[in-house]
């Protein structure tokens, strides 16, 4: 399942927003791969809600603010970052561009953007290009029956220079992805999750209630175990309930990522942005928070930060840029978002991220 056509060598002049990359991307990606990338679960309500949630907020402009020395810097997981935008963990890059994760890493590094490498990546963490100012995080899926394998993997990514772990916990089972089913999507044999070599195989079953399958599901005990075997910051990804945010802190997590898995698991789940305010109230500033899902504009980044998030992650837009123009496309996507955020900050009178708050938001 190779890309339909080679990525462009030069970014077209009329590609000026993330929606332009999304419009062009299907021309470069095989239809089955596009169903995988663009689709959500079931009727795709959660997928659409991630986008719609941002349209319910307005930013109130402020005038004549003192903006000398304005910047977008922040400190996250003990590292100073140039801006509050990270690349979310996603799989299947080699279906979208022949350089796969290497191109994404190059594009992210050009914009000093942390990349969260998926454990299902087709490129080994040791083979990724590394650049100062662009931290590399690593994503894990925990399994209750695979601690020995997971500890070996954690030691491997620590040795390779990963500076944080992101544990995705909202998909113990795969969502019902009807768009993929209708398109006949199946990952090609050439796209291999290289970090998962040697992992115990999942039991073959047709039922999510199969006891053998349930035995693989992680629990809070597995989070505490992971926290005990590594000194890296541990972020919990997939939090939508305030109760789980509190439990994440009690289990020793260093941060949480509010996300509904891009609308790819539970179709009746709330959007990440809708869940954010209640989660912020529950942890009362005791943990840093990242929001993942539905961000397509710098004003979306601003809105998420105003509602309490410290930073945001983007997934699909990065892959749209990868499909259209490889590493330069990835960098351009990130540059567009950062530039739009800076403009929004100026027009709202915010010289720093700390000046962005709920007083600047109005509900439509």
């Amino acid at each position: 399942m190779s890309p339909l056509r080679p990525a462009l060598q030069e970014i077209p002049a009329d590609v000026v927003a993330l929606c332009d990359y999304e419009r062009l991307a299907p021309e470069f990606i095989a239809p089955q791969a596009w169903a995988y990338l663009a689709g959500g679960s079931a009727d795709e309500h959660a997928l659409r809600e991630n986008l719609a949630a941002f349209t319910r907020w307005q930013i109130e402009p402020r005038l004549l603010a003192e903006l000398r020395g304005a910047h977008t810097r922040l400190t996250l997981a003990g590292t100073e970052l140039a801006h509050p935008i990270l690349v979310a963990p996603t799989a299947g890059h080699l279906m979208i561009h022949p350089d796969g994760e290497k191109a994404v890493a190059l594009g992210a590094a050009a914009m000093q953007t942390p990349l969260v490498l998926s454990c299902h990546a087709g490129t080994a963490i040791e083979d990724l290009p590394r650049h100062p100012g662009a931290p590399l995080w690593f994503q894990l899926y925990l399994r209750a029956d695979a601690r020995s394998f997971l500890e070996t993997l954690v030691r491997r990514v620590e040795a390779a220079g990963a500076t944080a772990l992101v544990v995705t916990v909202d998909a113990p089972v795969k969502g019902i992805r009807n768009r993929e089913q209708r398109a006949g999507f199946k990952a090609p044999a050439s796209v291999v999750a290289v970090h998962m070599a040697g992992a115990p195989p999942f039991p073959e079953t047709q039922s999510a209630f199969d006891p053998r399958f349930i035995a693989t599901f992680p629990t809070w005990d597995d989070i505490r175990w992971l926290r005990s075997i590594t000194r890296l910051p541990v972020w919990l990804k997939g939090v939508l309930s305030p109760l789980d945010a509190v439990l994440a802190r009690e289990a020793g997590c260093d941060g949480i990522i509010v996300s509904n898995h891009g609308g790819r698991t539970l179709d009746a789940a709330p959007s990440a942005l809708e869940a954010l305010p209640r989660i912020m109230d529950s942890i009362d500033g005791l943990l840093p928070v990242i929001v993942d899902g539905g961000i397509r504009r710098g004003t979306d980044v601003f809105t998420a930060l105003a509602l309490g998030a410290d930073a945001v992650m983007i997934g699909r837009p990065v892959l749209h840029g990868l499909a259209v123009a490889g590493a330069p496309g990835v960098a351009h996507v990130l540059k567009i978002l950062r530039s739009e955020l800076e403009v929004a900050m100026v027009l709202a009178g915010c010289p720093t991220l700390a000046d962005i708050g709920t007083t600047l938001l109005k509900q439509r």
Side-chain angles (χ1 to χ4, degrees):
M1 192 185 300
S2 58
L4 288 180
R5 54 184 279 209
L8 300 176
Q9 297 300 306
E10 185 173 331
I11 297 170
D14 63 348
V15 175
V16 296
L18 270 58
C19 59
D20 295 317
Y21 278 106
E22 184 170 7
R23 168 178 53 84
L24 290 174
E27 300 177 15
F28 297 84
I29 302 175
Q32 296 88 351
W34 179 249
Y36 168 79
L37 167 56
S41 64
D43 297 312
E44 302 187 343
H45 295 302
L47 174 62
R48 290 190 294 273
E49 266 302 297
N50 273 350
L51 300 167
F54 287 96
T55 69
R56 301 187 186 112
W57 293 96
Q58 295 174 320
I59 300 170
E60 185 172 77
R62 295 299 308 275
L63 309 177
L64 304 174
E66 175 57 70
L67 292 165
R68 283 179 290 188
H71 64 83
T72 58
R73 295 189 299 275
L74 74 156
T75 299
L76 201 62
T79 302
E80 185 170 290
L81 305 180
H83 56 81
I85 303 165
L86 294 82
V87 175
T90 54
H93 294 197
L94 289 170
M95 294 187 296
I96 295 167
H97 189 280
D99 292 336
E101 288 84 4
K102 291 182 179 180
V104 172
L106 284 171
M111 287 302 299
Q112 297 178 283
T113 302
L115 165 64
V116 185
L117 182 66
S118 169
C119 65
H120 290 141
T123 304
I125 187 171
E126 295 87 353
D127 296 334
L128 286 185
R130 302 298 306 276
H131 297 274
L136 179 62
W137 296 10
F138 190 82
Q139 178 227 25
L140 287 173
Y141 283 93
L142 293 184
R143 283 180 56 177
D145 63 337
R147 286 189 177 182
S148 176
F149 167 79
L150 288 167
E151 183 166 3
T152 299
L153 181 56
V154 168
R155 298 288 173 254
R156 175 181 173 184
V157 301
E158 288 173 337
T163 56
L165 297 175
V166 171
V167 186
T168 299
V169 291
D170 58 355
V173 295
K174 183 179 178 180
I176 305 298
R177 300 182 191 171
N178 293 149
R179 193 194 302 207
E180 289 183 21
Q181 292 169 336
R182 294 183 185 111
F185 171 78
K186 185 178 181 180
S190 59
V191 177
V192 178
V194 293
H195 300 99
M196 302 309 293
F202 279 103
E204 294 188 14
T205 178
Q206 300 297 316
S207 172
F209 282 178
D210 188 317
R212 297 171 302 158
F213 194 27
I214 291 176
T216 70
F217 296 174
T219 68
W220 289 106
D221 283 341
D222 295 288
I223 299 298
R224 286 185 282 270
W225 166 78
L226 177 65
R227 177 66 285 168
S228 73
I229 67 162
T230 182
R231 294 184 179 180
L232 294 181
V234 173
W235 291 74
L236 203 68
K237 182 175 184 290
V239 179
L240 290 174
S241 165
L243 298 176
D244 286 332
V246 172
L247 290 172
R249 179 173 175 270
E250 293 175 352
C253 293
D254 298 279
I256 60 174
I257 300 170
V258 181
S259 171
N260 67 9
H261 210 100
R264 296 166 70 82
T265 52
L266 181 63
D267 196 28
S271 71
L273 193 73
E274 182 182 357
L276 178 61
R278 292 175 63 227
I279 287 174
M280 296 308 303
D281 288 343
S282 73
I283 59 174
D284 196 26
L286 296 175
L287 284 178
V289 174
I290 296 173
V291 169
D292 162 66
I295 290 164
R296 298 296 186 271
R297 287 283 184 181
T299 48
D300 297 340
V301 180
F302 186 103
T303 298
L305 299 183
L307 289 174
D310 295 281
V312 303
M313 281 182 174
I314 59 168
R316 287 184 179 92
V318 168
L319 301 186
H320 299 155
L322 175 67
V324 174
V330 172
H332 191 216
V333 162
L334 296 167
K335 184 177 187 299
I336 288 170
L337 267 188
R338 182 177 178 181
S339 297
E340 289 180 349
L341 172 62
E342 290 174 351
V343 169
M345 290 174 65
V346 168
L347 296 178
C350 298
T352 71
L353 302 180
D355 297 303
I356 301 174
T358 54
T359 58
L360 296 167
L361 292 186
K362 304 293 180 185
Q363 286 190 292
R364 291 187 187 275

